[in-house]
Amino acid sequence: MKKADGIDHRSHMLQAIELSVSNIREGGGPFGAVIVKDGKVISRGANRVTKKKDPSAHAEIEAIREACEKLGTHDLSGCVIYSSCEPCPMCLAAIYWARLDRLYFAATKHDAAEAGFRDDFIYEEISAEIDKRKLTAVNMLADEARKAFEEWKLFDGKKEY
C-alpha cells in the first residue's frame, strides 16, 4: 500500500513480519519492528527477551534503541514504526515517549493472546488503584525524592524530554 506520501508501507510492514518469523528460528519471540524516516529504514528490532534475559527487549524497544543510537537523539519525531503485532503496554508507552509520528501494526493483541502472549492483565493493573494491584507498591520518602524535581526545575542546563 503506497500512500500519497510515496512511502511503501506494505514493504516496511513485510520487513517487520519477516523479522518476527525469522526471529523464531533464531530462538527469539515472534515479534519484529522496523523504524523508518523519510521512507528509509533506520532500524530493525526483534524480540530478544529470552536471548538477552531482558524482559524489556521487545522488538519495538530494540528498534527504538537502535534508531536513537543511529540518529543521536532520544526524540524520534519524523519517524514511523511498523510492528508485526499491536504493541504491548510497555512498547506503546515507549513509542509515545520516543515521539514517533505514527504506528502501523499487523497482528492484533487478540492474535498475540491466542498464541499465549497475554497483556490484558497489565492493562487491568494500570487502570486499578495502587492499593488494588497484585504487585504490592509502597510509597515512601516522597518529600526527600521531590528535592530532585525542585532542583530539576531550577537547573538551567536541562534538556527537555
Side-chain angles (χ1 to χ4, degrees), residues 77-137:
S77 297
C79 296
V80 173
I81 189 165
Y82 298 84
S83 181
S84 66
C85 185
E86 184 176 357
C88 74
M90 175 184 67
C91 293
L92 184 59
I95 289 166
Y96 277 105
W97 281 117
R99 295 185 178 99
L100 287 149
D101 287 357
R102 185 167 290 173
L103 160 67
Y104 293 90
F105 65 92
T108 68
K109 62 183 177 182
H110 305 292
D111 298 319
E114 197 172 297
F117 297 92
R118 302 208 46 105
D119 298 329
D120 53 342
F121 81 95
I122 298 173
Y123 288 107
E124 292 168 13
E125 286 287 293
I126 289 170
S127 64
E129 294 296 322
I130 291 174
D131 63 338
K132 304 280 192 259
R133 293 180 184 165
K134 290 177 179 64
L135 176 66
T136 301

Side-chain angles (χ1 to χ4, degrees), residues 50-67:
T50 56
K51 288 177 85 172
K52 287 186 166 184
K53 297 169 185 56
D54 176 356
S56 69
H58 289 202
E60 296 89 344
I61 302 293
E62 295 287 288
I64 288 169
R65 288 174 178 158
E66 183 179 312

Side-chain angles (χ1 to χ4, degrees), residues 19-65:
L19 274 169
S20 72
V21 173
S22 64
N23 195 51
I24 295 168
R25 296 181 207 123
E26 295 172 15
F31 302 95
V34 174
I35 294 180
V36 174
K37 183 170 185 168
D38 300 326
K40 294 181 174 65
V41 174
I42 302 299
S43 66
R44 293 173 178 82
N47 182 288
R48 305 265 194 258
V49 169
T50 56
K51 288 177 85 172
K52 287 186 166 184
K53 297 169 185 56
D54 176 356
S56 69
H58 289 202
E60 296 89 344
I61 302 293
E62 295 287 288
I64 288 169
R65 288 174 178 158

